[in-house]
Amino acid sequence: MSEIILHLSAGQGPAECEWVVAHLAAAFCREAAMAGVACAPVEPLSGPCPSILLRLSGAGSDGFATARTGTIRWIGTSPLRPTHKRKNWFVGVARVPEPEDVPDFRETDIIYQTLRASGPGGQHVNTTDSAVRATHGPTGLATVSQEQRSQFANRKIARLKLAMLFEALRREGMAGGKRALWQQNRELERGNAVRVYEGVAFAPR
């Protein structure tokens, strides 16, 4: 069975939502292991972040992804502002389309460039040109992947990110101009959560 990529996004939520994204990714991976589904971040987790891509594979991956696609609510005290009165925080989860399924997204429009990876990541960093930048010629949209150890793997992820950004831009009818890669889940549906978690242990409710 082919893999599924889930996009966990804080949208335009506050910093607490970025904290939730990181912890929710860890919770999903724990739940997936219990369900016999392989689940791992596409790129290494490094604390709170606006969004994360998770790769799922295995016999139950489709049902696992479907049950978690939509708005997720976390109930708890802000880990950043303990005196804040708000107790409900929302993030979005969406299935990332395959590049081949995105209308008008053509491989011939993509320009790939290799560059030297930077930052933590192992002995390959700064010794090989394994990082890849993918640029969509007609729109100028660009993404970079440098966390994988092979140029081929980084190229695949950079293309996946570019397709996701292009699809978000296409759905907005280009009206918003060039949007940041992780902004497509701008409007989260409050009060219509598909799953609810509670407390620092992210226990399902």
Side-chain angles (χ1 to χ4, degrees), residues 65-136:
T66 299
R68 290 158 179 79
T69 298
T71 299
I72 304 292
R73 176 163 63 111
W74 179 70
I75 303 173
T77 301
S78 167
L80 309 176
R81 297 175 289 173
T83 59
H84 200 289
K85 294 182 179 180
R86 180 174 170 180
K87 300 296 181 183
N88 293 286
W89 312 89
F90 298 87
V91 301
V93 178
R95 191 178 301 209
V96 178
E98 289 292 332
E100 295 78 10
D101 296 332
V102 177
D104 301 322
F105 186 75
R106 292 178 289 270
E107 179 69 21
T108 53
D109 289 334
I110 305 174
I111 302 167
Y112 295 101
Q113 297 171 284
T114 58
L115 54 150
R116 190 147 294 183
S118 61
Q123 293 182 348
H124 74 297
V125 172
N126 291 326
T127 61
T128 60
D129 294 336
S130 60
V132 174
R133 176 186 290 114
T135 304
H136 186 252

Side-chain angles (χ1 to χ4, degrees), residues 5-90:
I5 304 295
L6 286 182
H7 178 215
L8 284 60
S9 172
Q12 291 188 330
E16 285 85 355
C17 293
E18 298 185 7
W19 181 89
V20 171
V21 164
H23 285 75
L24 183 63
F28 277 9
C29 288
R30 291 194 300 270
E31 293 173 350
M34 295 176 62
V37 173
C39 176
V42 170
E43 296 173 315
L45 298 179
S46 56
C49 54
S51 74
I52 290 172
L53 295 177
L54 290 181
R55 179 185 287 112
L56 305 175
S57 61
S61 57
D62 185 70
F64 184 91
T66 299
R68 290 158 179 79
T69 298
T71 299
I72 304 292
R73 176 163 63 111
W74 179 70
I75 303 173
T77 301
S78 167
L80 309 176
R81 297 175 289 173
T83 59
H84 200 289
K85 294 182 179 180
R86 180 174 170 180
K87 300 296 181 183
N88 293 286
W89 312 89
F90 298 87

